Amino acid sequence: MSSTAPPPDTAAFCADLVRSHDFPRYAATLFAPAAERRALLALYAFNVEIVRVRDQVSQPLPGEIRFQWWTDLFSGLVHGSAEGNPVAAELLRAIRDFDLPVEPLSLLVDEHQFDLYNDPMPTMTALEGYLAATSSALFALAALIMGVSSDEAEHLARHAGLAQGITQVIANLPRDSSHRQLFLPQQFLTSHGCGMEGVFAGKATPDLHAVLDQLIGEARQHLATALSLLAHVPLSARAAFLPLSQVRADLDRLSRPGRNPFAPQPVSRLRTLWTLWRASRSREFTK
């Protein structure tokens, strides 16, 4: 009788990983057909793996090594060991089944190298470049999985990713500042007279609120553009952009008067599901 363990259920592994660490994207996949949902979960699980690296290492070098493994995978240098990684196995399947380009995936890994160091984000242009290669790339790849590869979808993905990414920068301020990591553009801090040390100390000053208000304004502009472009995307592909409804809800929450930007405000899974379900039935996603 063989004692060999059965192969892991790689699809279930990815679903559990995304459900645990990126519930809004997990919930959005519930509105996609089964084959596309499996590929979306592989894509989002890969993103979870990359984003979590900075929390799993205490020095940059081990993080660089982990990132290099993924870079080698996309360049074809990793073979047998990929089969033992359920996320890699599922992602390679999605790449094959949906003819996904590997360059954006490799660029996403490269851009997240910034996460391993405590260098401040210098300008808004630099932040937009970082988010375009990470958040926007995920929207663009999700659109490809859902069958859309037009220039309009690329344009929509860029604005969707910038809206989502800027919102996450604001929402993640409590965690990032406690790690002395700053994704708020230094350019904005300087223009409002807000010092980095004050941010790291958790001081909710009027200057910091001015910085956050400016970022919220930027995010709202990108969100408005993305939602206006959504009408040009086929109905069958709009599930890829359902997370925009959560972005809108998050911006409303983050812009409430008197909110302490250093107080974590987790959103319940039930509320997230309700937000996405309601959006799935709205004119933006059904007309």
Side-chain angles (χ1 to χ4, degrees), residues 121-132:
M121 185 66 70
T123 63
M124 189 63 197
T125 300
L127 177 61
E128 288 176 342
Y130 173 90
L131 296 177

Side-chain angles (χ1 to χ4, degrees), residues 14-54:
C14 288
D16 288 343
L17 187 66
V18 181
R19 183 169 54 242
S20 299
H21 297 281
D22 191 353
F23 189 75
R25 283 195 178 99
Y26 170 81
T29 68
L30 299 177
F31 299 88
E36 287 81 359
R37 179 172 185 253
R38 180 172 181 173
L40 288 171
L41 286 169
L43 174 65
Y44 298 153
F46 157 71
N47 183 62
V48 167
E49 288 282 85
I50 299 303
V51 170
R52 290 175 68 209
V53 166
R54 69 168 174 160

Side-chain angles (χ1 to χ4, degrees), residues 126-147:
L127 177 61
E128 288 176 342
Y130 173 90
L131 296 177
T134 54
S135 296
S136 297
L138 287 176
F139 275 113
L141 289 163
L144 284 175
I145 289 171
M146 298 302 294

